Amino acid sequence: MDLLQLRYFQVVARYEHMSRAAEDLRIAQPSLSRTISRLETELGSPLFDRHGRRIRLNQYGAMFLRHVDRALSELDDGRRAVREARDMGLGRVSVASETLLTITPLLGSFRVTHPRADVRLFQSNADEMSRQLRSGEVDFCVASQPLAGTNLESIELAREEVLLAVPHGHRLDGRESVTIPEIADEPFVTTRLGNWQRALLDRLFAAERLTPLLSCEGDEPGASQDMISAGLGIGFIPATSRQVGRHAPVAWVHMDAPDCHRVITLVWNRGTYLSEAALRLREFITSRPFMTHHLPDLRGPSRREPLPPFVRAGEGEDQAES
């Protein structure tokens, strides 16, 4: 058994598809198949259930994968530690988020403060973030919904109300609040499955035994407001978007529905190595109110609107819900 076999197995287990794994690894599929077969022979057990061209990780493969992930992660951590010690820099920190707009101002501030840090950014949905943390591809995830997995640790960064955004001139323009049944027949602009906007929409409608009508499904939550402003539908937008002048104009309506809010957390795998850059980023994020990174005054001081209480607090559940 060698490292090459283990890394090949890890990739095949990720895709559960030999051709895609071979393409990712840039090797011939027959060579990859022989490598996996030799590994199974050495272990004395098949790691995949094979049904024609399709393969599925079986119970032995899933068990072995957990150990392989840990072993390769430890080796990768060792390489990173040696490289950082050699370069005398802060090292690399990798961050994933469902929407890049959530953390762009924060990472920009961090780079100014720590110019020697090598910062990498990924856009991922919840399932992908869980996998990236487990495999060690990223150090942190800034998540707007719970992530599944063992050894995950998190800190709540912010809690904010989620509002209903509608185009100006819409029948709900001017309403103070609405219920889910009142918008059951409205077309929604939202994100694909796996993102927080879609998860919230599906949860609120399911509580009323309703199914939302979707007019648009995208991958970037930050683009929803522009599409709503253009009249493509209505949608759920975090309340902080009201304070950012660069967004497209919409009308805002409160939702008369339980738990219509977004909780932003910083999540990491406590079993993996964190570089000096990662440690400093975690301290940087958690040492100040998170929402202050997302309220640039693009209109000038004379036109600044007062912030609602849930944005001013931005760090405590009691204050946020007062």
Side-chain angles (χ1 to χ4, degrees), residues 83-216:
R83 184 171 61 248
E84 288 164 18
R86 180 197 65 203
D87 296 341
M88 298 298 291
L90 295 180
R92 175 181 298 177
V93 55
S94 300
V95 185
S97 178
E98 290 174 71
T99 171
L100 304 184
L101 297 179
T102 300
I103 55 176
T104 298
L106 184 150
L107 291 182
S109 299
F110 178 74
R111 286 293 301 272
V112 171
T113 307
H114 301 285
R116 291 190 301 153
D118 180 9
V119 180
R120 302 297 172 93
L121 182 58
F122 299 87
Q123 184 174 20
S124 309
N125 63 28
D127 290 339
E128 182 70 4
M129 285 194 288
S130 296
R131 185 195 65 77
Q132 288 173 312
L133 285 173
R134 185 175 64 250
S135 66
E137 290 180 29
V138 300
D139 301 298
F140 300 109
C141 291
V142 178
S144 298
Q145 55 186 310
L147 300 184
T150 58
N151 293 325
L152 297 187
E153 195 165 336
S154 64
I155 294 177
E156 182 174 315
L157 299 175
R159 180 180 295 255
E160 62 174 331
E161 182 183 6
V162 173
L163 303 173
L164 180 70
V166 302
H168 283 300
H170 188 273
R171 67 179 182 88
L172 297 175
D173 186 355
R175 283 282 297 272
E176 177 65 24
S177 65
V178 296
T179 63
I180 292 296
E182 289 181 283
I183 56 175
D185 296 326
E186 291 283 345
F188 267 82
V189 172
T190 187
T191 48
R192 300 183 195 276
L193 290 171
N195 290 287
W196 76 268
Q197 280 179 321
R198 181 63 175 276
L200 176 64
L201 176 66
D202 289 345
R203 176 171 62 80
L204 293 182
F205 269 70
E208 299 287 344
R209 298 184 178 180
L210 295 170
T211 301
L213 174 65
L214 306 182
S215 64
C216 181

Side-chain angles (χ1 to χ4, degrees), residues 253-275:
V253 185
H254 292 277
M255 285 303 306
D256 184 7
D259 298 324
C260 190
H261 62 261
R262 174 172 72 151
V263 178
I264 302 175
T265 57
L266 181 70
V267 189
W268 66 94
N269 188 336
R270 60 176 174 266
T272 60
Y273 166 81
L274 292 179
S275 67

Side-chain angles (χ1 to χ4, degrees), residues 220-291:
E220 175 50 70
S224 296
Q225 189 169 326
D226 295 89
M227 290 183 283
I228 294 168
S229 179
L232 299 181
I234 65 176
F236 291 143
I237 305 291
T240 47
S241 294
R242 300 178 70 175
Q243 310 304 319
V244 183
R246 65 179 175 79
H247 276 310
V250 295
W252 301 97
V253 185
H254 292 277
M255 285 303 306
D256 184 7
D259 298 324
C260 190
H261 62 261
R262 174 172 72 151
V263 178
I264 302 175
T265 57
L266 181 70
V267 189
W268 66 94
N269 188 336
R270 60 176 174 266
T272 60
Y273 166 81
L274 292 179
S275 67
E276 183 66 22
L279 293 173
R280 293 197 187 188
L281 177 62
R282 183 170 62 187
E283 192 277 333
F284 184 85
I285 294 176
T286 58
S287 63
R288 65 207 71 197
F290 181 75
M291 303 306 286

